Amino acid sequence: ISGTGKSFSMLGPDVASDHESKAISTSNTMSMNHSDSLQGLLPRALADIYTEAERDALAEVDVEVNISIVDIYNERVLDLLGKNAVDDDSDVDLKLGLDGEVYVEGLKKRPVHDVQEVMGVIGTALHTRRVASGDDNERMNKSHLIIMFTIYY
């Protein structure tokens, strides 16, 4: 269902409005100027994660946060951070590991160091998603964007 506020709730007004208006900034300087009450769920959760990571760093514990973003449409899994994300060669495969866990083979993981960088990466991925879809709103409304974080301690 389009226009129900899912992007706004998850990403906040900066990324959601840019995504909806198709004027997505690909810089790493996505604004965090809105009051806390307008921030999306993801920026809020990330702020907590990075606050904890800073505390761990003070305790001399290494913390690394990585992001991966995929778009799923018509049984195709597209790595939006992969080098050929707009080409047909950018499909990645879902695999079942020996431990029974599902994973994405060849998925690009990119290190991210703060909330602004994460939101910039997401903005870039949303732009790539739009370009890969040929600006087809029906496709984007029927596809599923999955943002994954891996945190190493």
Side-chain angles (χ1 to χ4, degrees), residues 30-82:
M30 289 285 182
S31 167
M32 295 292 287
N33 295 329
H34 295 286
S35 70
D36 286 344
S37 66
L38 289 180
Q39 290 303 314
L41 177 64
L42 187 58
R44 290 176 194 219
L46 288 166
D48 287 347
I49 288 169
Y50 283 108
T51 297
E52 288 299 316
E54 286 176 18
R55 286 185 192 144
D56 290 342
L58 292 174
E60 297 183 12
V61 175
D62 289 330
V63 178
E64 180 181 330
V65 180
N66 290 292
I67 187 172
S68 299
I69 305 176
V70 297
D71 185 47
I72 301 175
Y73 177 69
N74 277 348
E75 299 183 20
R76 289 183 62 197
V77 181
L78 178 68
D79 182 355
L80 293 180
L81 301 182

Side-chain angles (χ1 to χ4, degrees), residues 105-123:
E105 186 176 62
L107 183 64
K108 171 128 171 93
K109 291 181 181 179
R110 178 177 166 179
V112 284
H113 304 95
D114 57 39
V115 176
Q116 262 83 15
E117 184 178 5
V118 170
M119 300 312 289
V121 170
I122 292 170

Side-chain angles (χ1 to χ4, degrees), residues 119-143:
M119 300 312 289
V121 170
I122 292 170
T124 300
L126 290 173
H127 176 74
T128 301
R129 180 187 195 204
R130 190 182 85 239
V131 170
S133 72
D135 225 2
D136 181 359
N137 282 329
E138 181 178 337
R139 179 203 180 276
M140 285 180 55
N141 289 333
K142 293 180 179 178
S143 68

